[in-house]
Every structure is written in C-alpha cells, then in structure tokens.
Amino acid sequence: MSESNASDRRQSLTVADLVNWLHRFDELTATELDWLTELDSAIGDADHGVNLIRGTRALRERFEGQHPANVGELLGQAGVTLVATVGGASGALYGALFVEMARHVGSAKSIDVATLASSFRAGLSGVVTLGRASPADKTMVDALTPAVEALEVAAERGASLRQALVDAFAAAAAGREATTPLVARKGRASYLGVRSVDHIDPGAASTALLFEALSPHLEHSPHPTTRTGQTMTTARRQFVNQPDDIIAEALDGLALTHPSLVAWHPESNVVSRATPAARKVGLVSGGGSGHEPLHAGFVGTGMLDAAVCGAVFASPTSEQIQAGTRLANSGNGVLHIVKNYTGDVLNFEIAAELVSDDGIEMQTVIVDDDLASDGAADGPGRRGTAATLVVEKVCGALAESGADLATVAEHGRGVVARSRSLALALSACAHPGESRAAFDLEPNEVEFGVGIHGERGVSRIPFATADELVEQLVTPLADELELKRGASVIAVVNGLGGAYPLELSIIARQVHRLLSGRGVGVARSLVGSYVTSLDMHGASVTLTVADDDLIGAWDAPVRTPNLTW
C-alpha cells in the first residue's frame, strides 16, 4: 500500500501531525504575506500579515525538533506563544482559539474528526467571547464558523479524516469570500462603514489559511496581489536598518538620549522612568509603535510611569503590559490609559485581570475622542487619538500631587468625555521597510476622518486651502461639544508625522480665528507632532472643554523627553 493511500485511510491526528500543521501554517503565511498586507491595507492598517508571521515563525521555532507529550499541551503552548508574539487583536484571538482547544482535548495523544470538531467549536466560543463578534461582522469568525460547522457535519456522517479536512477548508474559504460584500462591524475596518464593502476581511483570509494548512492533500494556489485603480506613487526611502529591529533600535536611542529621564527594558519593550516614583498612583499607557512621541516620549515626572510599546500599529501583548504595570506599581494602584482599539482594549483587559490577581489595585480609562468614528451603537465605538495626550497630562499631574487611584481615574474619564478630535491627511504613511504608501490619493483629494494607524478615513473631500480644510475640522468639533460663547478650551493642533511646523502654525492660526469667531476662548494650546501615524502628511485638531481645575492640571510641571514645562 502506498504512503498516500495509508495517509488517506488514517482517522486521527497525532501530535506530530499537528506540529506539521503549524509549520505549514507558517509556510502559507509567508507565501501569502503580501496578499494579507494588501487586504489589510484596503480596510485596516496593513499589519495583519506582518504581525501574524511573527507568531507563526515563533511557533516553528518553539516546536522545531521537539514535540510536546500530548495534543492539549501542544495547543496550549501554541496559544501562549501566539499571545506573546503576535500582538494586536489577532494575537489575543488566535491565542484564545488555541488555548480553548487545548482545554477541550486535554491530555489526548491523538484526536479524531469528532474531537477535532468539538475542540474547534470550543475555540470558536473563546474567540467569540473575547472578540464579541458574530457571523456577518466581517471578522475571522466568518471563516471560522463555517469551517467548524463543516467538521461537525463530517463527524456526524462518519466522513474520513481526509474528507473532513478538505470540507473544513472549503467552508473556511467560502466564508472568507463571503466577507467581501459585508460592511465591517468590528475592528478598525468598521470605522470605514460602507467603504469596507468589496474587500475580503484579512482575519477571515488568515483563518482560511489555517484550515488550508490542516489539509495537506491540497495544492496551494497563491493569491495575486493587486493595486487596481490606484495611482502610482514615488517609492519612499527611510532611515531603517532592518524593519524587524526598528522598535528596539528606536527605544534604545530614546533611552541613550535621555538617560536621566527614562530606562528601556528590552525584554518587554517597556520604557519606564529612570528613577521610579515612590508611593503614588502609577500611570501606564501604550499601544502600537509608529505614533511617536506617544507614548514613550511622555514617560517622566508629571506624566507616565511606564509606556508599553508594541510592533508598528499593533497592540503590545498582555505579557508586555503586565511587565509595564509591575514596573509602574509603587503600592498605590495603577491606572491604565488605553486608546479605544480592539487589540489595545483586549490585551490591557487581560493584563489588568492578571496583575489584579497579584494584588495590584487597577483602574482603566478608555480614550475614545475621535469624532469621525462615532458610528453604530453595536460597533467598537470611537477611536482613541490625540486626546490621549491630554488625558496622560492631566492624570499625570493629579497622580504626582498625591491623588488616589479613584480620583485620578475619575478625572481621566472626565477629560475623555469633554474631548473630541478630527483629522485629515494629504497623503498616507508607509510602513517601515515598505516603499509604497498604505493608500493613494489623487492630487485633488484629501482623506477625511483618518485615524492614527495609517488607515483610510471615513470619506474623501476635495483639496482646498488650509483655512477651508481646518474649518471642516473645527466646526464639527465645536458643534459636537456644544461650545457656547464664553466657553474655554484646550486646543491641540497635532501633526500626523509628515506635516512640517510651518503648516501646523497655519492650522493653529485658523483654529484660533474660528473659535474666536464663536466667542470661544483658547485657554491653552499645544502645536506640534505629538500623536503621529509614521510619516502620514496630515493633521488633527483636538478640543477639550476647559475649567479652572483642568487648566491647573495642564499647567502643572512636567518633565519628559517630549513634553516639558
């Protein structure tokens, strides 16, 4: 009997088979890296493939030449590895899938079709619970659900293992394609609204690859990458050695430049105060890199105690956040300041639960100031953008003055409630090592309502003079905040990375003029590139309704690498 015929008649998967599955998943992810990036460029921030392959490579290294004793141990180790290496929402969700599968199968040495189906069902439940997604939300659930159902049907009718795996991949691939006409309701793609239609969800695409990897009898046909309908742009050059080293090298440079202010912890990519504070509420923030000087540039007296730095545009892992939280803890509790993005919220939640179990008192402030993403009630809510800086400054001043954790958190939430931001871009950013921008614009177009992860905005508007464009930012903000004559605000005019100081000063001039025309005073203003999106040529305006207490906290002394007075 031939080896292939023997393989076709097997009815269970061993630990060795599952290790080979993970190796093939890594191979397929590498083969389709450009395609995954292309998909995520269209409706996200172009990092899904880059983040995922970091995890699949870690899986390959973890199980190279060594096999765990049983299936549960293998799947559990795989889940922990993905959580620790991928970052963003994908790391937490793929980690939940594998961890829940591991809990279901336990110490089994091999699994048949029925057990495979029930373990994937357990994993799907973990993904749905953590990500709060349902079918038709345009997420990985849209590929995972039909694949699990196909395995269950195969088990019920007594299908062979080979046929069950083929059916599962076919169902996952169909689910992937079925995301194309959907409007995204979860994750960053949801901020595009109807502009997310006609695009495959990248999470569903990678989930289909996971099931394809489990079907070794299938010959893989690579997906073409295209940029149809886009204008060619000049390739960009960057001061980069190796893209994989950019975060570590940049943080090393920050610590070397400001040795009296900050210390870099390379094992977790956390930046903390060079001299830890004693007996005060600890402040921790963080997120994907690419927004510098947010967050690491705001570590120091009067602001953060620690900043946790993920990969470019990808949330740090929960393990990194735990490390930062413990560094910031001096016995009076720790406040997490979290921008409202799915990956950030998930990983900070997980970390907060784990450190709370160790006796650290925790509170969290979710920053959701972006007016452009104020959409459906069942979506992820407004994004967190430049108001994060205001929250960190005000909370930092209160913590430095000796306020307790509840008071600092309450004031932080108050700042969020009275802050709104809007942004636009004249050109997109390019990821480190990439020569092409995340999206292209015609010469007469402006991307309106952009976030800070290189993603598209909510619409495109005609290019106009600086004053006309700024009016389209300020007027909706003032209306949303219901600013009346006699009101007072803190105004932050923020460059997104590519706007130069002359441009930002012109924007600031018009912000002052427009607010003055409404009888609104600018009590304090800050102009510069503080919350960026790599080299995106754009700007945001943040308005925070001010009162005497807020101004007092804003004026309090601060000494960090990028904000000092």
Side-chain angles (χ1 to χ4, degrees):
M1 181 169 53
S2 70
E3 183 178 340
S4 61
N5 287 337
S7 174
D8 288 350
R9 295 176 60 182
R10 291 178 51 202
Q11 291 301 303
S12 63
L13 294 169
T14 65
V15 170
D17 293 327
L18 295 172
V19 168
N20 289 335
W21 167 41
L22 298 179
H23 285 178
R24 190 158 189 257
F25 184 38
D26 175 55
E27 293 169 359
L28 291 179
T29 302
T31 299
E32 298 296 357
L33 182 59
D34 289 344
W35 181 58
L36 293 173
T37 299
E38 185 81 12
L39 295 178
D40 203 31
S41 293
I43 59 174
D45 51 13
D47 67 349
H48 183 68
V50 173
N51 292 336
L52 184 60
I53 199 169
R54 190 167 56 247
T56 63
R57 287 289 152 85
L59 290 177
R60 177 180 286 277
E61 293 172 4
R62 178 74 178 260
F63 300 119
E64 197 74 59
Q66 58 174 339
H67 292 178
N70 56 63
V71 174
E73 187 177 326
L74 168 71
L75 295 174
Q77 290 179 14
V80 170
T81 300
L82 291 171
V83 169
T85 56
V86 175
S90 297
L93 294 172
Y94 270 110
L97 172 67
F98 279 90
V99 167
E100 292 304 321
M101 290 178 70
R103 288 174 178 164
H104 182 78
V105 301
S107 59
K109 301 291 186 181
S110 64
I111 52 176
D112 58 13
V113 174
T115 305
L116 182 66
S118 58
S119 65
F120 264 114
R121 173 61 68 181
L124 172 60
S125 296
V127 170
V128 169
T129 299
L130 186 62
R132 304 178 183 92
S134 302
D137 280 348
K138 202 178 182 99
T139 70
M140 67 183 293
V141 170
D142 292 305
L144 185 55
T145 299
V148 172
E149 291 172 347
L151 286 173
E152 291 171 338
V153 170
E156 289 175 5
R157 61 185 176 87
S160 68
L161 174 64
R162 179 186 187 281
Q163 189 60 53
L165 298 180
V166 170
D167 291 350
F169 168 59
R176 173 196 67 206
E177 298 302 315
T179 64
T180 303
L182 298 176
V183 175
R185 294 201 291 257
K186 297 292 180 182
R188 287 179 189 155
S190 66
Y191 299 125
L192 295 178
V194 295
R195 298 180 77 194
S196 63
V197 171
D198 293 331
H199 297 285
I200 293 172
D201 177 70
S206 63
T207 300
L209 291 178
L210 182 69
F211 281 93
E212 183 175 1
L214 198 52
S215 304
H217 308 278
L218 300 175
E219 182 177 350
H220 178 69
S221 299
H223 297 273
T225 58
T226 60
R227 285 183 178 263
T228 56
Q230 292 188 329
T231 304
M232 291 298 294
T233 56
T234 303
R236 302 187 186 188
R237 295 182 295 174
Q238 303 161 330
F239 291 105
V240 172
N241 294 314
Q242 295 295 327
D244 289 346
D245 299 332
I246 187 171
I247 310 304
E249 291 179 353
L251 295 179
D252 190 19
L254 177 71
L256 290 170
T257 305
H258 302 280
S260 64
L261 296 179
V262 298
W264 171 49
H265 305 269
E267 69 283 356
S268 56
N269 272 350
V270 171
V271 173
S272 67
R273 296 191 188 191
T275 303
R279 304 305 300 178
K280 64 175 282 293
V281 172
L283 264 60
V284 177
S285 193
S289 296
H291 309 306
E292 290 71 25
L294 191 82
H295 297 273
F298 302 138
V299 172
T301 303
M303 287 191 80
L304 299 177
D305 292 275
V308 191
C309 307
V312 172
F313 294 164
S315 163
T317 68
S318 59
E319 290 185 353
Q320 289 178 269
I321 298 165
Q322 290 177 66
T325 303
R326 292 190 170 95
L327 283 168
N329 178 42
S330 63
N332 285 19
V334 175
L335 178 68
H336 283 170
I337 299 172
V338 184
K339 301 185 300 299
N340 189 35
Y341 294 95
T342 303
D344 292 46
V345 172
L346 286 178
N347 284 291
F348 271 90
E349 279 183 357
I350 293 169
E353 290 178 5
L354 292 172
V355 297
S356 294
D357 291 342
D358 294 340
I360 299 177
E361 186 181 0
M362 296 296 306
Q363 289 224 30
T364 300
V365 171
I366 303 292
V367 184
D368 60 350
D369 56 303
D370 175 51
L371 184 58
S373 51
D374 194 354
D378 61 347
R382 293 185 300 267
R383 296 174 290 204
T385 57
T388 309
L389 164 64
V390 185
V391 175
E392 291 177 356
K393 176 64 186 74
V394 171
C395 289
L398 291 169
E400 214 71 48
S401 71
D404 62 24
L405 179 59
T407 300
V408 177
E410 179 185 1
H411 280 77
R413 296 182 189 114
V415 172
V416 174
R418 62 175 73 180
S419 299
R420 291 293 182 271
S421 302
L422 265 178
L424 52 76
L426 307 183
S427 65
C429 63
H431 278 243
E434 293 288 331
S435 62
R436 294 291 306 276
F439 59 84
D440 293 317
L441 291 166
E442 297 293 341
N444 64 336
E445 291 181 327
V446 173
E447 196 76 10
F448 184 81
V450 296
I452 57 173
H453 294 87
E455 68 269 48
R456 288 167 167 80
V458 297
S459 64
R460 289 189 175 175
I461 60 175
F463 181 70
T465 66
D467 284 354
E468 291 169 328
L469 292 175
V470 173
E471 185 171 3
Q472 295 187 65
L473 297 177
V474 173
T475 298
L477 293 175
D479 290 344
E480 172 69 14
L481 292 170
E482 299 181 347
L483 296 179
K484 308 296 185 190
R485 184 169 296 275
S488 179
V489 299
I490 293 175
V492 179
V493 174
N494 174 63
L496 293 177
Y500 49 91
L502 282 174
E503 292 177 290
L504 297 179
S505 292
I506 291 170
I507 294 171
R509 168 183 176 270
Q510 178 68 341
V511 170
H512 280 261
R513 292 175 65 200
L514 291 169
L515 291 173
S516 177
R518 298 175 72 117
V520 175
V522 178
R524 299 290 185 273
S525 59
L526 186 67
V527 181
S529 294
Y530 294 100
V531 183
T532 62
S533 183
L534 292 173
D535 61 345
M536 178 177 276
H537 192 173
S540 66
V541 174
T542 299
L543 300 181
T544 301
V545 180
D547 58 23
D548 290 344
D549 289 341
L550 187 67
I551 296 301
W554 181 262
D555 287 345
V558 58
R559 187 160 185 256
T560 71
N562 289 94
L563 202 65
T564 295
W565 57 67

